[in-house]
Amino acid sequence: MSDTPLNAFLQWLEESAGVSLGEGVSIVQSPDGSISVWADRDEPIIHPETVASIPKATILSARTCALSQHVAWAPFGHGAVLSLSLALYSEMLRGTESKWHPYLQSLPPTPVPIARLWGDQFAFSEDADAQEAARWIQGTEIQRELQDEDGSLLMEETHAFYKEEVQPLLDSLGFSTSAHGFLHAYSLVCSRAFLVDAYHGLSMVPVADAFNHTNENHVQLASEFDVCPLCGSLSECPHDRDDATSQPPAAKSLVHPLSSEASDTVEMVTVRSIPPRSEIFNTYGADLGNASLLARYGFALEPCEQDMVTFGWAGSGISLDNDQDQEVFRTVYTRALHEVGDLVRKSALIYAPKEEEHYACPFAINSDGQASLGLFVWAVWNALNERPPPEFEHMSDSDVLVSSLSYLPRIVTALVRLEAFREETEEAREIEISDDMACQLLEDAAEALASLCRARAAGMGKKGYRGARADVLCEILDHLPSDHRKTRLALEYLLSERALLEACAAGWEEIRDNLCGESPGEGDSDIED
């Protein structure tokens, strides 16, 4: 049975790992070598059902690898990715001596083509497609995925970790290391790891990582997250009685609690019934847009509602200068949601994010080309600074932001009335907008939003083609060599993000032109050279 890596892996799952698959569930290998999970029976798998049960003893983590005493554990974030990458790389170098060898042999044998690595000289040094793809994603949301919150590049941190931690440790233990090999492990962690529980943290979970992603998933990962962070025990342990023991910080996780009695396993459980003879899909995150999927997993879906353009990060076109400004904006934004949130829902140009998303991306354009309320607040703030009313003339920027709340309801009301007027119904023609100050500020805010979109689009993509017309980019896309898959993904993503910016810009340019009396077409609504 063990004549292929997949067969060896399946045998290991059954004989050594104690992993069990549900009835009618199979792991299969495609002609390209990738593996996936399928329902191979003629009847549907009826929800609720467990399709795979994986003992936590099977998990590969910084806690369980052979070199665990040498690997610093991190609970979450990029530090956790780097720690697990070291743990995984050390096991890959151990070869057949690793207890996970059959599992490791089932993983992709070369670096996963995640966008984080496209421009890296060690990951894809001789891959012209990867180097070209990296040039086309400059300035896009994918670039945001390549950097930390402070704007520092994740790959710079990764290379520093390899030189300062990985290479010295593994060389001292007699392993033959390379940056390419470590980045191979890093790409596997980025694209396949799960945050499992408070003890293991980010981990490689055999079988769980074989499920492919879709937004309409059949299953999700379930685990008891609240275990002892020092020994992983589910039940009472000596650490529970140690007053000096502190819990690690909480982390956002895709882990769902097991609905049944506590079990020392990770399970893939259904969220809906699974059709017969079909692939079984997981989700890597219901809120992930294509920028995240490309950066972390190396693939993209059709443009979807999760796609958005965000601002507020280094290189995006908007940045709050310091922590004080950020705190002031958060306070103003909270009050704005309360004061005009319901009114905003009558607008086709602004959206109020769902409650759980209020502070995740306050400056954003959604998949419908609508500006977030936070982005509109920024534009009003910008308008008040550009053309301040007499009472604002000697205020600081922060004071202007706070005071903008006194004008915001009037400006949003003027916007909603103007949008209704544009509907060209008899009822709409009777609407009067008599608030001249609100209209003037709305005109300035509309110009600020349109200019922001135009500037963002003009700075995206490969040098020499930034701001080029869409038909020029489509021509390049149509003539790409068939094997340039990464560049194709990059260009397709660039075009879809530009379409959102163009839609948003066009809407606000129309508002601006209506207010300043221009006829349609007199404004510069196209984003081009």
Side-chain angles (χ1 to χ4, degrees), residues 6 9-10 13 19-30 34-41 45 50-54 192 205-213 218-219 268 274-275 277-282 284:
L6 177 59
F9 174 49
L10 295 176
L13 291 177
V19 174
S20 61
L21 299 178
E23 181 182 355
V25 176
S26 298
I27 300 175
V28 301
Q29 189 165 31
S30 302
S34 62
I35 62 176
S36 54
V37 184
W38 286 71
D40 62 359
R41 66 187 196 185
I45 298 176
T50 298
V51 301
S53 181
I54 306 131
R192 306 177 81 88
V205 186
V207 175
D209 60 8
F211 291 84
N212 288 318
H213 165 85
H218 305 104
V219 299
M268 301 304 294
I274 303 168
R277 303 290 174 183
S278 63
E279 183 173 358
I280 305 175
F281 287 98
N282 185 21
Y284 301 162

Side-chain angles (χ1 to χ4, degrees), residues 384-385 388-396 399-400 403-404 406-407:
L384 285 166
N385 277 309
E391 67 269 27
F392 283 26
E393 287 183 356
H394 302 293
M395 287 185 181
S396 67
D399 289 339
V400 170
S403 300
S404 68
S406 63
Y407 281 92

Side-chain angles (χ1 to χ4, degrees), residues 480-500:
L480 278 178
S482 59
D483 60 346
H484 277 45
R485 179 177 177 274
K486 303 179 190 70
T487 304
R488 182 172 299 279
L489 287 170
L491 270 167
E492 288 174 345
Y493 180 80
L494 173 64
L495 284 164
S496 67
E497 186 167 310
R498 280 191 39 156
L500 296 185

